[in-house]
Amino acid sequence: MPHILIVEDETIIRSALRRLLERNQYQVSEAGSVQEAQERYSIPGFDLIVSDLRLPGAPGTELIKLAQGTPVLIMTSYASLRSAVDSMKMGAVDYIAKPFDHDEMLQAVARILKERQESRSTSGERPTSSRNDKAASSADGEIGIIGSCPPMLELYSKIRKVAPTDSTVLIQGESGTGKELVARALHNLSRRAKAPLISVNCAAIPETLIESELFGHEKGAFTGATAGRAGLVEAADGGTLFLDEIGELPLEAQARLLRVLQEGEIRRVGSVQSQKVDVRLIAATHRDLKTLAKTGQFREDLYYRLHVISLKLPALRERGNDVLEIARAFLARQCVQMGRENLRFAADAEQAIRHYNWPGNVRELENAIERAVILCESPDISADLLGIDIELDDLDDEDFNDIAPPQANNATHEPTEDLSLEDYFQHFVLEHQDHMTETELARKLGISRKCLWERRQRLGIPRRKSGAAAGP
């Protein structure tokens, strides 16, 4: 059983990470600082060290020297992303952003330990067997995504073909479908796997800062630029740059990105000199870039540079029985996290999970199951605890088999699979906005408030008056 040391001063995060790793068959020790880790343990004796970057006293990077070859995985917030990249230059094996996604953490830990085992095997040591982590591996353990429906199997095949190349990849799919997992699989199966994977959400960076964040700046380039700083593109040199929600990138930044793709070089804001970078670009979006390009909202030349290889990630409602497999994996995780045992889905809950349209995709499913585990007072989770609005009367479970066609004479309930996402969104918002806030609506749909506002604008759905929901 691999032995992992967690060094984290925040007790809640440390405990949650310990439980996550222990339930996946890892032996775990913990400390609140580098000094405590030194006093309590022989640091080189661990198989992996997972450490926060910012700790009381010495920073987490000090463990790289003390580990004497043991891999160190650095945890950091987005605000200190550049520091995490610097830590990799100092010898950290990888970094992961906080708050971390459980699947991403498990996948990173499994990959690092596998690489360590392989390096040991070359010196005559027999590698230990890896654990069976259903939530962080596909059927063959390479891709890191749950699901075996035909569209996903086709996607896995394309990932394996594309990953070893340096071709630019555009991942398309609705919000919440797991586009970053696809990007990470492409990176991990590429020749750049040991170099950084820098993930950037273009929608999360203010428009006034995005060029500086991506391409860096020189001292004095703008007010507050007291020192020169490298950008995230430069930080990804030798590795992979993942730009999520690239449709939100301003036109000026698009022009600079085009230069990176065409010439393989960047120019920091305020600089007159260019420098070469070796970066593989993976982009993702839930928007129709081709339509945006036609209307002048996205550079057409950049669109065609991005569209070398296009991977389509299916929505959850298009994945048949995968939804139950994913739901059961989420249920197992939540039960362990919350100390619940022997919870299972009742028949009507499984039926609802399979039939519901899931406009928020995997993210909405995870939220629904977390809610159900919290509220459940018996071993069986019923459909109503999932908090989804669906009619289940007179529905035969066989009608939801992803192979069988729908019955033509079952017209008592309009099948939600015939509704477009926009139709469902409009229906849901109009039905619930009188008694739910914008934040609650967005959470229920599994999208951000910004995305909710954009869809309202696009579909012409007026927001309720501020006093409409005022009542008892």
Side-chain angles (χ1 to χ4, degrees):
M1 182 184 295
H3 195 178
I4 299 174
L5 171 63
I6 301 171
V7 185
E8 166 63 67
D9 59 318
E10 294 187 42
T11 305
I12 295 175
I13 296 177
R14 189 171 69 239
S15 299
L17 181 54
R18 186 194 71 242
R19 291 194 300 270
L20 173 68
L21 295 174
E22 284 180 341
R23 77 169 185 264
N24 283 279
Q25 311 306 313
Y26 295 119
Q27 182 182 352
V28 180
S29 298
E30 57 183 89
S33 67
V34 174
Q35 182 178 354
E36 182 183 349
Q38 283 182 281
E39 292 172 351
R40 295 181 59 185
Y41 309 110
S42 172
I43 293 176
F46 290 93
D47 296 293
L48 171 64
I49 299 169
V50 182
S51 175
D52 191 15
L53 180 61
R54 299 182 183 276
L55 293 167
T61 49
E62 284 297 309
L63 291 163
I64 299 171
K65 305 172 188 175
L66 300 171
Q68 299 179 18
T70 297
V72 177
L73 173 64
I74 292 291
M75 297 185 293
T76 180
S77 64
Y78 177 78
S80 55
L81 183 56
R82 287 193 181 87
S83 299
V85 175
D86 290 340
S87 71
M88 291 186 66
K89 294 178 181 178
M90 295 171 62
V93 68
D94 203 349
Y95 77 92
I96 192 165
K98 294 166 59 179
F100 55 82
D101 176 82
H102 287 197
D103 288 347
E104 184 181 356
M105 174 63 78
L106 291 172
Q107 187 180 7
V109 167
R111 174 177 54 80
I112 294 167
L113 289 173
K114 181 181 178 183
E115 290 173 356
R116 179 174 171 83
Q117 291 161 1
E118 289 174 348
S119 65
R120 283 178 169 179
S121 67
T122 59
S123 60
E125 295 182 44
R126 184 177 179 180
T128 58
S129 59
S130 60
R131 87 276 189 243
N132 177 24
D133 176 19
K134 188 175 182 180
S137 64
S138 61
D140 57 20
E142 286 186 326
I143 303 300
I145 304 173
I146 300 171
S148 55
C149 66
M152 293 304 292
L153 293 178
E154 183 180 352
L155 177 65
Y156 301 156
S157 176
K158 289 181 179 178
I159 288 173
R160 292 191 189 91
K161 291 177 182 177
V162 173
T165 74
D166 275 339
S167 296
T168 301
V169 180
L170 178 63
I171 306 169
Q172 296 174 299
E174 296 174 8
S175 295
T177 49
K179 296 186 287 295
E180 185 163 358
L181 288 177
V182 174
R184 189 166 290 276
L186 288 166
H187 174 74
N188 290 342
L189 295 176
S190 75
R191 63 179 181 83
R192 300 172 180 264
K194 294 185 178 181
L197 168 65
I198 304 296
S199 299
V200 183
N201 187 334
C202 298
I205 304 175
E207 186 172 340
T208 54
L209 296 178
I210 196 160
E211 288 192 65
S212 172
E213 288 291 309
L214 286 177
F215 307 106
H217 63 260
E218 296 294 345
K219 180 179 179 180
F222 50 84
T223 303
T226 56
R229 296 179 68 178
L232 296 174
V233 177
E234 192 175 339
D237 191 19
T240 305
L241 177 68
F242 173 55
L243 296 182
D244 197 8
E245 299 300 350
I246 196 169
E248 310 297 329
L249 201 63
L251 290 171
E252 295 80 0
Q254 291 178 28
R256 285 180 175 268
L257 182 61
L258 185 62
R259 183 175 181 85
V260 175
L261 294 174
Q262 290 179 334
E263 309 296 336
E265 61 183 27
I266 61 168
R267 182 182 300 165
R268 292 185 182 182
V269 176
S271 175
V272 295
Q273 294 184 334
S274 299
Q275 61 186 96
K276 289 290 185 180
V277 288
D278 174 23
V279 172
R280 185 200 191 167
L281 179 66
I282 300 174
T285 183
H286 71 280
R287 306 181 69 181
D288 186 345
L289 293 188
K290 189 172 185 180
T291 299
L292 293 179
K294 288 180 179 178
T295 58
Q297 296 174 270
F298 197 86
R299 289 184 63 106
E300 193 170 14
D301 48 3
L302 177 58
Y303 167 71
Y304 287 113
R305 292 290 302 192
L306 293 173
H307 207 264
V308 178
I309 301 290
S310 179
L311 299 180
K312 180 70 169 66
L313 193 54
L316 189 56
R317 63 183 175 276
E318 299 169 352
R319 294 177 57 179
N321 286 332
D322 280 1
V323 65
L324 276 178
E325 184 181 355
I326 297 169
R328 287 167 182 151
F330 284 153
L331 177 59
R333 176 200 295 173
Q334 292 295 335
C335 285
V336 173
Q337 281 186 317
M338 300 183 189
R340 303 292 301 271
E341 294 183 359
N342 302 320
L343 290 187
R344 59 184 178 271
F345 294 118
D348 65 337
E350 290 199 351
Q351 195 179 44
I353 288 170
R354 293 178 62 186
H355 186 59
Y356 182 54
N357 209 35
W358 297 113
N361 292 294
V362 177
R363 190 178 297 121
E364 184 187 6
L365 173 62
E366 184 173 18
N367 291 341
I369 292 172
E370 180 180 354
R371 180 192 311 112
V373 172
I374 293 171
L375 299 177
C376 187
E377 297 179 352
S378 68
D380 291 331
I381 294 177
S382 60
D384 63 314
L385 287 176
L386 294 171
I388 56 180
D389 189 13
I390 191 169
E391 293 287 346
L392 294 173
D393 297 339
D394 303 324
L395 292 175
D396 187 347
D397 188 64
E398 292 183 0
D399 292 339
F400 306 116
N401 190 302
D402 60 319
I403 300 175
Q407 298 294 325
N409 57 358
N410 271 357
T412 54
H413 301 290
E414 185 178 358
T416 55
E417 52 264 55
D418 288 343
L419 295 175
S420 68
L421 178 60
E422 286 77 11
D423 290 336
Y424 183 86
F425 177 89
Q426 187 167 13
H427 173 79
F428 184 90
V429 171
L430 291 174
E431 182 177 354
H432 294 284
Q433 66 177 352
D434 287 338
H435 58 271
M436 295 174 68
T437 65
E438 293 294 285
T439 300
E440 289 169 337
L441 280 171
R443 177 176 173 81
K444 190 89 175 226
L445 289 166
I447 60 178
S448 66
R449 283 192 53 161
K450 180 176 183 290
C451 184
L452 173 61
W453 179 84
E454 287 178 342
R455 291 189 185 180
R456 278 185 179 278
Q457 298 298 307
R458 188 171 72 248
L459 299 175
I461 306 173
R463 186 172 176 177
R464 62 172 171 77
K465 302 295 183 182
S466 57

